[in-house]
Amino acid sequence: MARILVVDDDTFLLRSLEKLMLTEGFFCQCASSAREALRILEGEPFDLVVLDVGLPDIDGFALCRRIRLKHRMPVLFLSARGESADRVVGLEVGADDYIVKPFTPREFVARVRAQLRRANEYSRPVEARNEIRIGDLVVDFDRHDAFISGKRAQLTEREFELLALLARNVDKVLSSEWIFENVWGFQSETGPKTLAVYVRRLRCKIEADPDHPKYLLTVRGFGYQLVFPS
């Protein structure tokens, strides 16, 4: 669960964004001043900070500079000041994006997700982005395939998408519904039961004994987990 700090002196906006973030599955903490935000950042880690430019004690630009002295997480500005000069200043002091008020909840969530995604990708070494090794299983993102003990698995595109999602969350238990939504989306012609079929197909390609899997495990009544074999 990504941790987001929202800093704004508009109480109504703070509560609205907090509710929106919680609905989207993020942890959200709020601060109504720059000093409060700095105090919170000293004690807890966050994955993204959302800043208003017009704060009551220190303006958002100055706060962003102070944050950048110690922290590298993405910073997203919110402001009613939409002039080009303000946007340029925001980016120059270290922000990663700038949203002009008013904005739609959909746009805000999309911007947040984009910054979290980029931060996650760019924090990894290049090698880790190109392949993930789990025991003798290698998930190769350049070739869109997997290799097991050096032998190519010959995955279909959908099989690869499923395995890649599991590999990016190795050792985590993922619900069937979450996996299905992230691989298939909400396609009316398929259903979550399709996932079981693809899990079986994957096991036949990556497991020595598909009936007794060591990599791709079923968590009964919940979902699946890709693990390092014992």
Side-chain angles (χ1 to χ4, degrees):
M1 180 182 292
R3 296 172 55 84
I4 299 172
L5 175 63
V6 181
V7 188
D8 200 298
D9 62 345
D10 184 333
T11 302
F12 177 77
L13 180 60
L14 275 184
R15 299 311 163 204
S16 298
L17 291 180
E18 181 181 29
K19 183 177 180 180
L20 176 63
M21 292 293 91
L22 291 173
T23 300
E24 293 295 326
F26 301 121
F27 170 85
C28 183
Q29 188 162 347
C30 298
S32 57
S33 69
R35 290 186 178 87
E36 184 182 3
L38 290 171
R39 178 182 58 78
I40 291 172
L41 286 170
E42 284 297 318
E44 301 178 54
F46 286 88
D47 300 294
L48 182 142
V49 177
V50 179
L51 295 180
D52 183 22
V53 173
L55 296 172
D57 46 0
I58 305 171
D59 72 49
F61 296 143
L63 176 57
C64 186
R65 289 191 185 96
R66 293 181 63 172
I67 289 174
R68 280 289 171 252
L69 293 175
K70 294 184 177 181
H71 305 283
R72 298 182 61 83
M73 80 285 280
V75 174
L76 174 61
F77 268 123
L78 298 180
S79 179
R81 294 155 57 175
E83 292 80 5
S84 176
D86 291 315
R87 293 171 183 260
V88 170
V89 171
L91 297 175
E92 287 182 342
V93 298
D96 298 276
D97 201 354
Y98 194 108
I99 301 181
V100 179
K101 301 176 182 177
F103 51 84
T104 65
R106 184 177 181 182
E107 178 190 7
F108 181 78
V109 171
R111 299 283 190 104
V112 166
R113 290 192 184 281
Q115 291 304 321
L116 291 172
R117 183 171 58 251
R118 289 170 187 146
N120 181 55
E121 286 297 316
Y122 295 154
S123 67
R124 303 176 186 175
V126 173
E127 292 78 12
R129 293 203 304 270
N130 289 338
E131 65 180 34
I132 296 177
R133 293 179 177 269
I134 305 167
D136 291 328
L137 174 66
V138 178
V139 182
D140 191 320
F141 291 90
D142 289 334
R143 302 184 189 182
H144 273 226
D145 208 341
F147 294 79
I148 184 71
S149 300
K151 183 178 179 181
R152 193 161 190 161
Q154 302 290 344
L155 302 181
T156 66
E157 186 64 21
R158 190 73 79 182
E159 289 166 354
F160 176 79
E161 290 176 6
L162 173 57
L163 183 60
L165 180 68
L166 292 163
R168 289 190 182 102
N169 294 276
V170 65
D171 281 336
K172 294 182 181 179
V173 179
L174 307 179
S175 73
S176 296
E177 291 80 7
W178 189 86
I179 296 171
F180 180 78
E181 290 175 10
N182 280 271
V183 176
W184 279 268
F186 297 93
Q187 300 179 31
S188 59
E189 69 271 17
T190 61
K193 290 183 179 179
T194 304
L195 176 59
V197 175
Y198 274 82
V199 166
R200 177 65 184 178
R201 286 166 56 171
L202 264 183
R203 284 176 175 157
C204 288
K205 293 184 177 183
I206 68 172
E207 301 281 3
D209 182 356
D211 294 322
H212 300 88
K214 293 183 177 181
Y215 289 96
L216 181 45
L217 307 182
T218 298
V219 180
R220 191 173 299 278
F222 186 77
Y224 300 94
Q225 180 183 24
L226 193 67
V227 301
F228 287 88
S230 55

